Amino acid sequence: ETFAKSRTTQFLDPVMVLQDFEKGDEGWYLNIDSLKKGTEFKTASVKAGIVSDSARGSKVFRGQYKLANDDYAWALIGTSFDHYMNFAVIDSVVFYAKGNGSIKLSLENWISPTVNLKAATDWYALSSKWKRISVNPAELCVGSANEETCFTTWNAVKGGVKQFHIFVEGGSEFYVDDVTLYGALF
C-alpha cells in the first residue's frame, strides 16, 4: 500500500511544454516548401511573430504567409530535436491555434528527401476563435507514402522523432500557443 501512495500524479501523467512562446523562439523555426513557385512567409522569423494575445492572456506566435498556387505548397513552424526522441508512450499532443486556413501536426524523422518517415494528422480547419487541438497517436495517420496506415505511420516514427512540425495550408495567417506533450517520459 505504501508504494501505491507514493505515486504522484506528476509521475503517472507527466507533462512537457514544448513551446509557450513566453521566453522567445527557443530553437523553433519557420520553413516553406522548396517548389520555388512563390510560397513565402511574410513573418520574418518565429521571434518576429511572437505577440501578446489578450484572449489567451499570454504571448503567442502569429505567422503570416502566402502559399503558391500548388497542391503541394506548404509552410510550417516547428523544431528539430538534438537527439532522436522516443514518443512511444505519449498520450497526446495538445496545442491551441486559430487562423484563416487549416493546420496539421506532423512528427517526423526527416533525413533526406528519399528517407523521410512521417506520422501526421489530417487537416484541421481554423477560425478566428482559439481552438484546442488534441492529437493522440491513433490520429497520426498521414505518412510519406499514400499506402500507409495509422499503425504503420506511428510505428515507423514513434521511437525516433527528430522533427516536430505544425503545417498550414490555405489562408494567410495562423496563430499557435502552448504546444504540450502529455504522457512524455523523457
Side-chain angles (χ1 to χ4, degrees):
E1 283 81 350
T2 307
F3 176 72
K5 287 180 183 175
S6 69
R7 289 186 175 188
T8 65
T9 304
Q10 187 174 359
F11 177 77
L12 294 174
D13 188 21
V15 177
M16 179 180 176
V17 176
L18 284 182
Q19 181 59 272
D20 62 9
F21 302 104
E22 296 304 318
K23 298 179 198 101
D25 57 352
E26 295 185 21
W28 282 58
Y29 52 80
L30 303 176
N31 203 357
I32 59 171
D33 64 69
S34 57
L35 299 174
K36 308 284 190 255
K37 293 185 177 180
T39 296
E40 64 177 302
F41 251 110
K42 296 185 177 193
T43 305
S45 65
V46 174
K47 190 172 192 167
I50 296 173
V51 297
S52 292
D53 184 88
S54 58
R56 297 274 313 142
S58 66
K59 292 180 182 173
V60 303
F61 172 76
R62 175 187 182 217
Q64 294 180 294
Y65 59 95
K66 176 182 171 260
L67 294 180
N69 188 16
D70 187 287
D71 290 342
Y72 297 102
W74 51 263
L76 68 79
I77 183 172
T79 191
S80 182
F81 302 114
D82 291 337
H83 307 285
Y84 291 106
M85 302 293 281
N86 185 346
F87 276 52
V89 296
I90 68 164
D91 173 70
S92 59
V93 177
V94 175
F95 62 97
Y96 292 83
K98 70 177 183 174
N100 59 10
S102 297
I103 201 164
K104 76 175 178 180
L105 171 68
S106 181
L107 302 178
E108 301 180 42
N109 183 336
W110 192 94
I111 298 165
S112 72
T114 56
V115 182
N116 181 12
L117 301 175
K118 179 186 294 191
T121 64
D122 284 324
W123 292 101
Y124 297 99
L126 296 177
S127 73
S128 60
K129 294 192 186 318
W130 283 101
K131 177 179 188 171
R132 181 181 187 267
I133 298 174
S134 179
V135 176
N136 67 52
E139 296 170 283
L140 294 164
C141 301
V142 179
S144 300
N146 292 335
E147 67 274 4
E148 292 175 310
T149 64
C150 296
F151 179 79
T152 58
T153 55
W154 179 239
N155 277 334
V157 174
K158 70 182 180 184
V161 175
K162 188 73 171 134
Q163 295 88 16
F164 183 103
H165 291 149
I166 297 173
F167 284 85
V168 290
E169 76 163 6
S172 60
E173 178 179 56
F174 72 106
Y175 293 76
V176 173
D177 194 22
D178 290 340
V179 181
T180 307
L181 295 176
Y182 289 89
L185 294 174
F186 39 76

